[in-house]
Amino acid sequence: MTDINDYSLKAHNTFGIEVKCKRFLEFEDEREAVEVARILRTSGESYIIIGGGSNLLLTKDFEGIVVRSAIKGYEFSTNSHSPLTPHPSPVMTCGSGEVFDDMVAASIAAGYYGLENLSLIPGDVGASAVQNIGAYGVEAKDFIVAVSMVEIATGNTCTVGNGECQYGYRQSRFKHDWKNRFLITHVTYALSKPFVPHLDYGNIRAELERKGIGEPTAQQLRQTIIDIRNAKLPDPKVTGNAGSFFMNPIVGREQYEKLAAAYPDMPHYVVDAERIKIPAGWMIDKCGWKGRSLGRAGVHDRQALVLVNRGGATGSEIVRLCEAIQRDVKAKFGIDIHPEVNII
């Protein structure tokens, strides 16, 4: 177990913000997670639980304990009990500290499919269960069958099923009534054989056609998703960012139709008969923010949904930019947009 005082968190947030925490704890297996839970119970210190830091904006030093999982590894087995998989299907159980994209690559290499559209999403496996990460028409909740964890209040281990997590768009109980109550140790995903691609979202088909691919393999689809993401998203190792900063808002059909009349070119995605999802990045671009900066914080010049650290920005500067964008989108479209990133 790692236990360090006065610890820099710069390497643990992809914005590259230089802040410190009073104490840093990292656990490498379930036994160490139980010990960390004991420390949190008895220390009396405030604490936060982080993953890879790809969905995190730190605005100041944290005068408490920061906890992170370093549980690695994965294994395949057969599941026959989940309502998500009524027939026996392969499942993959992964350590919560495993890099999520490495797990996607490993599943494809093993001949188990489903996660291809989530390729190159940054962050750790544990965060996928908290955030319900998603991209290109696929969400983690479509595959998660179980989450194993340690309850901080008791030190007891437990496993919950998909239904208990109350997943929604970028939401789960881990972000609400379960926040800071559990240390996630493993996540189990239901996969499939054979490969059934999901191509009808965004520009996936167009990119495949550009490559001359009619019926992609799983690896070809994964590489295409990677190429699309690399073309429009900055590398956090070069330019500090947390990927998509805002959630795409979901509005009622009546509000959507009024906006569509005013903006016939507005992209949209139908959620159900009464709800429509509108890309926040499109609205931010229409407000003239793409490529602009506010001090040392800016909006990426190829994807307006991404806020970037131009160099030396503080978390507070990025928050100021976020709030300016929110005001302009509200004024122009009458829609509130909310950060997907956790601001601490």
Side-chain angles (χ1 to χ4, degrees):
M1 183 176 73
T2 300
D3 187 348
I4 305 174
N5 293 324
D6 192 29
Y7 183 79
S8 171
L9 295 171
K10 187 173 183 179
H12 296 283
N13 73 98
T14 56
F15 265 115
I17 306 294
E18 178 57 90
V19 294
K20 292 183 176 182
C21 62
K22 185 176 179 181
R23 187 178 183 184
F24 179 77
L25 297 174
E26 190 174 68
F27 54 91
E28 296 185 9
D29 55 33
E30 187 180 84
R31 179 188 59 79
E32 290 187 358
V34 171
E35 173 60 15
V36 167
R38 185 195 66 77
I39 292 171
L40 297 179
R41 282 197 309 277
T42 59
S43 70
E45 299 275 4
S46 58
Y47 61 88
I48 56 174
I49 304 164
I50 67 171
S54 60
N55 201 49
L56 185 65
L57 176 58
L58 300 167
T59 59
K60 59 185 177 181
D61 289 345
F62 185 69
E63 295 299 323
I65 302 173
V66 170
V67 180
R68 183 175 185 272
S69 169
I71 299 178
K72 301 292 186 180
Y74 53 84
E75 63 180 16
F76 298 97
S77 58
T78 299
N79 172 74
S80 59
H81 304 292
S82 169
L84 289 185
T85 55
H87 304 292
S89 65
V91 296
M92 185 178 189
T93 298
C94 307
S96 54
E98 191 71 55
V99 174
F100 183 81
D101 189 57
D102 290 350
M103 181 270 291
V104 175
S107 69
I108 295 171
Y112 300 122
Y113 311 115
L115 302 172
E116 299 77 28
N117 291 37
L118 302 180
S119 293
L120 208 63
I121 292 181
D124 293 347
V125 161
S128 74
V130 174
Q131 185 71 9
N132 184 25
I133 59 173
Y136 298 102
V138 172
E139 293 181 301
K141 71 174 178 60
D142 302 328
F143 303 94
I144 293 173
V145 293
V147 182
S148 299
M149 50 204 186
V150 174
E151 185 177 28
I152 294 171
T154 64
N156 294 333
T157 59
C158 58
T159 298
V160 295
N162 180 293
E164 295 171 88
C165 299
Q166 297 179 4
Y167 285 121
Y169 174 58
R170 303 296 182 272
Q171 298 296 328
S172 75
R173 292 183 75 180
F174 295 106
K175 297 181 71 174
H176 299 288
D177 59 309
W178 284 355
K179 186 174 183 178
N180 287 338
R181 285 184 54 193
F182 299 97
L183 300 175
I184 296 175
T185 58
H186 296 85
V187 182
T188 300
Y189 306 86
L191 304 175
S192 65
K193 267 183 171 279
F195 170 56
V196 180
H198 297 277
L199 307 178
D200 295 316
Y201 197 97
N203 58 336
I204 297 175
R205 285 193 184 275
E207 182 64 16
L208 286 169
E209 289 175 7
R210 188 189 68 78
K211 294 181 172 186
I213 299 173
E215 297 183 2
T217 65
Q219 185 56 46
Q220 287 173 326
L221 177 55
R222 168 172 163 77
Q223 189 58 54
T224 297
I225 296 294
I226 290 172
D227 292 344
I228 292 171
R229 290 182 67 88
N230 280 333
K232 67 179 183 179
L233 297 174
D235 183 348
K237 295 183 180 68
V238 178
T239 304
N241 74 92
S244 299
F245 193 90
F246 296 98
M247 292 184 284
N248 292 319
I250 296 173
V251 303
R253 180 165 289 277
E254 182 178 352
Q255 184 178 10
Y256 159 73
E257 289 175 349
K258 289 179 180 177
L259 287 169
Y263 303 97
D265 64 332
M266 181 176 69
H268 67 282
Y269 302 97
V270 176
V271 177
D272 55 37
E274 297 301 325
R275 298 183 300 159
I276 309 294
K277 183 187 296 183
I278 299 173
W282 179 86
M283 292 189 288
I284 295 167
D285 189 6
K286 286 293 184 181
C287 290
W289 275 105
K290 183 185 282 187
R292 283 177 56 191
S293 295
L294 194 60
R296 295 175 292 186
V299 180
H300 189 48
D301 59 3
R302 295 197 303 273
Q303 172 51 270
L305 201 57
V306 177
L307 305 191
V308 297
N309 181 350
R310 299 286 191 204
T314 65
S316 296
E317 287 177 286
I318 293 168
V319 168
R320 186 161 62 97
L321 173 61
C322 163
E323 291 172 345
I325 291 169
Q326 287 174 308
R327 287 193 297 269
D328 284 0
V329 170
K330 178 70 171 180
K332 189 174 185 69
F333 297 100
I335 293 177
D336 292 309
I337 58 173
H338 301 283
E340 179 178 331
V341 170
N342 298 309
I343 301 173
I344 295 174

